[in-house]
Amino acid sequence: MTETPEFHRETEALRETGAGMNTAEVKAWFVREVLPLETALMQYLHHNMGKSGDAADLRQDVYVRVCEAARRQVPNPVRPFVFTIARNLLIDRMRHEQVVPIEAVSDLEALNVAIEAPGAERAVMARDELRRLQIALDRLSPRCREVVVLARIEGLSGRVIAARLGISESAVSQQLDNGMRALADVLYGEPQDLRKSQ
Amino acid sequence: MSGHADENLSASAAGTIEATAAAWLRQKQSDWSESQQRQLDEWLAQSQAHCVAFWRLEAAWERSARLEALRPLSQRVVVSASRKPFRIFARVAAAMVVVAGLGVALTLVWPQPSDAVYATAVGQRKHITLGDGTRIELNTNSVLRLVSAVAERKVVLERGEAFFDVTHNAERPFVVIAGAHRIKDLGTKFTVRQNRDNLQVALTEGLAEIGPIDGRGSDHSLVLKPGDVAIASTRGLAVVRRSADEMSDEMAWRRGMLVFNHTSLGDAAAEFNRYNGAKLIIADPAIAGRTIGGKFSTADINGFVEIIQKLLGVRVTHQGQDFVVSH
C-alpha cells in the first residue's frame, strides 16, 4: 500500500519491461489496465483544471500518449505512468495558457492517487458493476434511456426502435450515440462511491 | 508520436472524435459488412486518438451487456411509451392477421406490456424456466418473446437459436413461431435456429409438428421424430436424419462448445462469429473450402486460430480486433 510513488522515474519504469505491443494487444491492455484508472484520472484533472478547459480533452491526450508509449514498450507499473503523463500534460497546458502557476499542479502524493494498491479499481468495478450500470442507465434522459434499453437489452435494431417509439431513425441514432457516450462517462469516469446518487 | 498536433487542435477535438466513434459503434451493432469494417479500420488507423475513443466506448458498451440482468420484467421501460406495432412487426403482423381470421383474439397477439422478452448478447447464453416447468436455453445473439395466450403457450423466436424442453400439456399446446413457421410441441425437446435464409429445427426427444405459420392443413406440415433435423426455407421443408452422436454435436452449444466434423473453414468461421465480438474473416475462398474437425469452446477463437495456423498452414493477421485468414 505504501510503495514509493515512481512518477519521477518514468524512464526507469519503462525500462523494467520488455517489448512493445501490437494494436490488438494495446487495445486489450488499455481496456484492462488504463480505463479502470479513469475515475481517479478525471478527479485529478478536474482538481487541477478548475473550470478552465475540458477535462475530457486532456483525458484523451493522456490516453493517446499512454497508448503510443505502450506500442513501443509496456509501461509497468501502469498507474504512476498514466498520472505522470497527466501531470506533464497539465503543466504543458498551463504553461501554454498561462492560467495558473505551474506550482499549482498538485503533487500526485497529495491526491493519494499513485499509492493505492494495484488493481483496486478493477476490484471495485467488478463488485459494483450492476449497481454502477443501473445508475448509469438512470442518469440518461428518459428518451435516451428508452433507446439504450431497447437496443442493448432487447437487442432491437434502430429501425424497429424508431417504429416502436414513433420517432425517426436518425433521432434513434442520435440518442443511441449520446447514450453510448454517457454510459462510458459514468462507467469509467465517475467516482467509485455511488452512494450519494441513490 | 505523430498526431499530437491534431489532437491538441481545439478544445472540442476530443468531443468530435468521440461523436464519430459513437456513430461507428452504433452502426456496428446492426448490419455490418466487411467493407464497413474496412472503413472503420482505416479510420482507426488514422490516429491513436480515434483508437482510444472507440476502444473506450466499445468497452463501456460491452460492459453494459450485463444490464440485462437488472431488467425487472414487470416494469419494462418499453412498450408503455407509445404502442405502434403496425410497422415494426409488419412481418409478424401479416401472419397474425391470418391467425385472427382463425378466431384467436387479436389482443392476445400484439406485443403487450405483459410480454416478456429475453435477449442474449453475442457470446452469451441464458436459461429460462417458465411457470409451467418448460425450460428454454437461449443461445448467442438471440431474442425470444413470450406471448401469453389463452388457447396456447406461444413464444416467438425473433432471432438466433433456442433449445426447448417443453412440459407437455395437450390442453394448451406449446408453439414456437420462427420466421414464417410454427413448431408445435407434442411432448418434446428440440432446438430452433434462425439462419439468414432458413430455419433449422432439431428434435432430440418426443414429437413436434412443424408447418407454415398460417396453419394451412397437414399437407404443409411435418411431424418430427427424435433425430430429425428439419430445414425450412421459403422454398420448402426438408428433413434429414441424424445419429445420436451427430445430434449431440448439434446441441454442443448448450455446453458452450462447437463441434466440427468435416466442416468447411468458412462454416466454422461463421459459427465462431456468432459467439464472438472479434470476427474471423476468411480472405481467400480456396481456404474457406478446406475442412476441419474438432471441439472448441465457443469463446476460444484464439485457440482455434492457433490450431488452423498449425494444421492448415494458413496465415493469420490481425485487423483491429479481428483475425484475417489467408494463404
Side-chain angles (χ1 to χ4, degrees), chain B residues 156-230:
Chain B
V156 181
L157 183 65
E158 297 190 342
R159 182 172 85 203
E161 181 170 28
F163 168 81
F164 300 89
D165 179 356
V166 178
T167 304
H168 186 59
N169 176 350
E171 306 283 289
R172 288 187 69 208
F174 189 90
V175 174
V176 180
I177 307 285
H181 290 84
R182 49 186 277 143
I183 301 107
K184 183 171 144 190
D185 120 88
L186 306 167
T188 324
K189 292 185 182 172
F190 60 100
T191 301
V192 180
R193 171 170 168 178
Q194 291 248 44
N195 295 317
R196 188 180 287 272
D197 46 14
N198 66 39
L199 174 75
Q200 188 173 323
V201 180
L203 191 118
T204 42
E205 223 179 281
L207 294 173
E209 187 182 64
I210 176 169
I213 196 169
D214 59 11
R216 276 179 289 167
S218 55
D219 286 354
H220 299 283
S221 58
L222 275 174
V223 173
L224 303 178
K225 299 181 192 63
D228 283 349
V229 176

Side-chain angles (χ1 to χ4, degrees), chain B residues 127 150 192 284:
Chain B
H127 291 253
V150 178
V192 180
D284 185 336

Side-chain angles (χ1 to χ4, degrees), chain A residues 39-115:
Chain A
T39 302
L41 177 65
M42 288 306 275
Q43 275 173 340
Y44 179 69
L45 295 178
H46 280 304
H47 181 85
N48 285 291
M49 292 173 80
K51 294 245 180 290
S52 80
D54 185 357
D57 258 6
L58 209 52
R59 177 194 73 210
Q60 166 123 317
D61 290 347
V62 172
Y63 287 166
V64 167
R65 297 273 176 103
V66 166
C67 286
E68 280 171 349
R71 280 179 195 281
R72 295 187 299 272
Q73 249 180 335
V74 183
N76 185 29
V78 178
R79 193 185 172 90
F81 183 78
V82 169
F83 280 91
T84 303
I85 287 181
R87 186 166 190 273
N88 292 343
L89 283 172
L90 269 172
I91 291 171
D92 282 353
R93 187 189 186 96
M94 283 164 183
R95 196 177 276 145
H96 185 244
E97 295 177 357
Q98 301 185 328
V99 192
V100 245
I102 290 155
E103 295 72 39
V105 174
S106 56
D107 262 351
L108 300 173
E109 302 102 308
L111 269 171
N112 214 14
V113 290
I115 54 174

Side-chain angles (χ1 to χ4, degrees), chain A residues 27 38 57 59 61 65 67-68 71 129 146 150 152-155 160 164 173 177 181 185 188, chain B residues 4 8 10-11 14-15 18 26 48 56 58 61 63-64 71 76 78 81-82 88 117 119 145 159:
Chain A
K27 178 183 178 177
E38 185 165 308
D57 258 6
R59 177 194 73 210
D61 290 347
R65 297 273 176 103
C67 286
E68 280 171 349
R71 280 179 195 281
E129 183 74 345
E146 225 167 24
L150 286 171
R152 194 44 165 158
I153 304 182
E154 312 276 340
V160 173
R164 192 183 270 200
S173 299
D177 290 1
R181 297 173 69 181
D185 283 344
Y188 289 115
Chain B
H4 277 153
N8 292 326
S10 76
E18 193 181 276
R26 185 223 328 133
Q48 184 66 50
R56 178 173 173 273
E58 189 183 47
W61 190 244
R63 278 173 71 188
S64 78
R71 187 162 56 107
R76 300 202 350 273
V78 186
S82 77
I88 343 160
V117 177
R145 175 185 302 279
R159 182 172 85 203

Side-chain angles (χ1 to χ4, degrees), chain A residues 103 118 178 190:
Chain A
E103 295 72 39
N178 292 345
E190 297 214 344

Side-chain angles (χ1 to χ4, degrees), chain B residues 120-121 123-127 137-140 253-256:
Chain B
T120 48
Q124 210 183 14
R125 258 187 302 147
K126 169 174 287 194
H127 291 253
E137 286 176 43
L138 209 50
N139 200 0
T140 178
W253 62 267
R254 296 178 51 214
R255 308 185 299 273

Side-chain angles (χ1 to χ4, degrees), chain A residues 144-158:
Chain A
C144 183
R145 181 165 59 233
E146 225 167 24
V147 170
V148 167
V149 165
L150 286 171
R152 194 44 165 158
I153 304 182
E154 312 276 340
L156 299 180
S157 72

Side-chain angles (χ1 to χ4, degrees), chain A residues 22-24 26-27 30-31 35 38 54 56-61 63-65 67-68 71-72 89 93 125-126 129-134 137 142-143 145-146 148-167 172-174 176-189, chain B residues 1-4 7-8 10-19 22-27 29-30 47-71 76-85 87-89 111 117-121 143 145 158-159 318 320-321:
Chain A
N22 66 28
T23 304
V26 171
K27 178 183 178 177
F30 173 74
V31 170
L35 278 180
E38 185 165 308
D54 185 357
D57 258 6
L58 209 52
R59 177 194 73 210
Q60 166 123 317
D61 290 347
Y63 287 166
V64 167
R65 297 273 176 103
C67 286
E68 280 171 349
R71 280 179 195 281
R72 295 187 299 272
L89 283 172
R93 187 189 186 96
M125 248 181 199
E129 183 74 345
L130 279 179
R131 202 156 58 96
R132 206 166 233 265
L133 284 164
Q134 177 76 73
L137 203 58
R143 185 31 64 89
R145 181 165 59 233
E146 225 167 24
V148 167
V149 165
L150 286 171
R152 194 44 165 158
I153 304 182
E154 312 276 340
L156 299 180
S157 72
R159 193 171 46 79
V160 173
I161 295 170
R164 192 183 270 200
L165 297 180
I167 59 179
V172 171
S173 299
Q174 189 57 57
L176 198 50
D177 290 1
N178 292 345
M180 286 169 163
R181 297 173 69 181
L183 280 180
D185 283 344
V186 181
L187 289 179
Y188 289 115
Chain B
M1 280 314 244
S2 68
H4 277 153
E7 285 131 22
N8 292 326
S10 76
S12 63
T16 309
I17 291 171
E18 193 181 276
W24 277 117
L25 183 59
R26 185 223 328 133
Q27 288 170 53
Q29 305 308 307
S30 46
S47 125
Q48 184 66 50
H50 295 180
C51 289
V52 294
F54 185 79
W55 294 346
R56 178 173 173 273
L57 292 184
E58 189 183 47
W61 190 244
E62 272 167 19
R63 278 173 71 188
S64 78
R66 288 204 216 167
L67 274 170
E68 202 186 356
L70 293 170
R71 187 162 56 107
R76 300 202 350 273
V77 194
V78 186
V79 189
S80 53
S82 77
R83 263 191 264 162
K84 294 191 175 181
R87 271 184 301 157
I88 343 160
F89 293 103
V117 177
Y118 297 90
T120 48
V143 178
R145 175 185 302 279
E158 297 190 342
R159 182 172 85 203
H318 284 281
Q321 63 171 350

